[in-house]
Amino acid sequence: MRMTSVPVIDIAPFLGGTPEGKRDVADQVRRACEEIGFFLIKGHGVDQQMIDATYQSAADFFQLPLEEKLKIRQPSTEIARGYTPFKGENLSSGMGAAGGADLKEILDFGPMTVPQDDYHKGGEAGGFFHDNIFPERPETFRADMTAYYKRMNALADDLMRIFANALDLPEDFFTDKLDRNISALRVICYPEQHETPEPGQLRGGAHTDYGTLTILMSDRSAGGLQARHRDGYWVDVTIEPGTYVINLGDLMQIWTNDRWVSTLHRVVNPPAELAETSRRHSVVFFHQPNYDAVITALPNRGQEDATPNYAPVTYKDHWTGKWNASRGKM
């Protein structure tokens, strides 16, 4: 039977800590990760007022005049900070696919509190802990994004504990790979389309995410997210009130030796009759491990002798290759 929507999983029983609740949630997550790598969560405990304030700040920023947004433009293609104007990224090229530039504008942030030591500021760190670049307006923008980033990092830690349980690993298995993480927060505007897109051009080209998992908040306007099922067809991912969209990144597919799937997904254009009135915003938290974490296939229960499908790779090398491709640098 074809999947018509992604699973909705209440993670409150896991967060509540009962053995039965943890096992039930972990089992639901495992099934979703094996089949499509996408699911919605509720019972996550994130305050709705924080969600609303963050979303409003993001929407208000994108309403500013272009010349004001360009004051905080991304300083270089190697630094994932600041504003990238409309058509400044092509996600499908990160997969080696042809296609026009994505029909969106974006603003990127990284860790909000960074120690001044060699690990975080030395040469090996590159731009992973570069200072964030905040706009002057909206006035609450910096405070909203800082608080939201920290809350999403905590939620991601909860989800990684669920993942460990789902994989029959110690609950703290991933902790030492995430304690100096380089996770990213991105706010996105998919503006109204006053011109017909080029053939194959989308709001967000088909791609996989780079890290461990992604936590997405978005509105329900026309022209939304789709995920490709393992059987090859596309499934609409529809936000429900009070939920987050969760999807796996590449690292979980590598760690599980393809047992779990980092799903190809895209953001499609609105129908032609709605193109000039459909504006969409998203706030996305990309959970990513320490830059020097080595990602290699883990033994799966019953498959301890399976041949790894991937060579070990540091997250720094994995991220750099995909990021540069998305910005037209090979």
Side-chain angles (χ1 to χ4, degrees):
M1 180 180 297
R2 287 173 66 97
M3 178 181 286
T4 57
S5 62
V6 300
V8 181
I9 302 173
D10 184 355
I11 66 170
F14 184 95
L15 302 180
T18 66
E20 298 80 6
K22 286 188 172 185
R23 176 45 52 193
D24 180 57
V25 172
D27 286 345
Q28 291 181 66
V29 167
R30 174 183 49 76
R31 289 193 295 270
C33 291
E34 290 177 351
E35 187 171 6
I36 193 170
F38 265 77
F39 53 97
L40 273 62
I41 60 168
K42 60 182 182 179
H44 44 69
V46 182
D47 182 75
Q48 188 61 46
Q49 288 186 329
M50 173 181 281
I51 294 172
D52 293 342
T54 305
Y55 190 83
Q56 190 62 54
S57 283
D60 288 347
F61 170 79
F62 288 114
Q63 293 287 355
L64 296 174
L66 178 60
E67 58 268 24
E68 186 168 351
K69 291 183 284 189
L70 288 172
K71 291 179 181 178
I72 59 166
R73 187 167 189 168
Q74 180 190 12
S76 75
T77 56
E78 294 81 15
I79 304 298
R81 301 289 185 274
Y83 174 70
T84 298
F86 189 63
K87 295 185 181 181
E89 182 177 67
N90 184 345
L91 287 173
S92 63
S93 65
M95 303 295 297
D102 295 345
L103 302 174
K104 68 176 187 285
E105 50 183 324
I106 57 182
L107 184 53
D108 286 310
F109 303 95
M112 298 293 174
T113 303
V114 179
Q116 302 298 303
D117 57 26
D118 286 344
Y119 183 87
H120 296 87
K121 293 298 184 179
E124 287 300 312
F128 291 126
F129 295 101
H130 192 282
D131 292 343
N132 285 309
I133 307 171
F134 291 99
E136 294 180 359
R137 297 194 296 162
E139 292 182 0
T140 62
F141 189 94
R142 180 172 190 154
D144 289 338
M145 296 300 159
T146 299
Y148 190 76
Y149 180 101
K150 292 177 179 179
R151 183 64 184 88
M152 290 299 98
N153 218 8
L155 177 57
D157 284 343
D158 289 336
L159 290 165
M160 293 302 294
R161 291 191 296 116
I162 295 173
F163 285 0
N165 275 264
L167 293 167
D168 295 314
L169 297 169
E171 193 168 294
D172 63 353
F173 176 82
F174 294 108
T175 300
D176 64 352
K177 303 159 187 65
L178 307 171
D179 54 358
R180 296 182 287 189
N181 73 71
I182 58 171
S183 298
L185 183 67
R186 168 174 283 193
V187 293
I188 309 173
C189 175
Y190 306 98
E192 302 86 348
Q193 296 181 354
H194 301 297
E195 299 178 358
T196 303
E198 300 171 11
Q201 189 175 35
L202 298 174
R203 282 180 156 177
H207 64 285
T208 61
D209 291 343
Y210 309 168
T212 53
L213 61 89
T214 300
I215 305 172
L216 168 70
M217 169 175 65
S218 187
D219 57 42
R220 294 167 62 93
S221 65
L225 180 64
Q226 293 182 332
R228 194 177 73 174
H229 192 275
R230 269 195 150 168
D231 290 341
Y233 59 88
W234 292 96
V235 180
D236 290 329
V237 181
T238 303
I239 303 288
E240 297 185 9
T243 66
Y244 280 111
V245 176
I246 308 298
N247 67 270
L248 300 185
D250 296 338
L251 302 194
M252 297 312 302
Q253 182 159 336
I254 296 172
W255 260 321
T256 62
N257 209 32
D258 292 334
R259 178 180 166 191
W260 290 9
V261 58
S262 175
T263 303
L264 201 66
H265 52 285
R266 63 189 183 185
V267 181
V268 298
N269 299 318
E273 66 272 16
L274 299 176
E276 295 197 30
T277 58
S278 177
R279 186 178 185 90
R280 185 180 183 89
H281 297 97
S282 296
V283 181
V284 194
F285 183 79
F286 297 102
H287 190 238
Q288 304 175 124
N290 307 344
Y291 65 78
D292 59 350
V294 178
I295 317 303
T296 188
L298 302 168
N300 291 326
R301 176 171 292 183
Q303 298 180 338
E304 286 78 7
D305 297 329
T307 301
N309 296 330
Y310 305 91
V313 62
T314 64
Y315 186 63
K316 177 180 180 177
D317 289 343
H318 175 77
W319 183 93
T320 300
K322 294 199 71 170
W323 174 265
N324 286 343
S326 76
R327 298 302 171 112
K329 296 181 63 179
M330 300 299 291

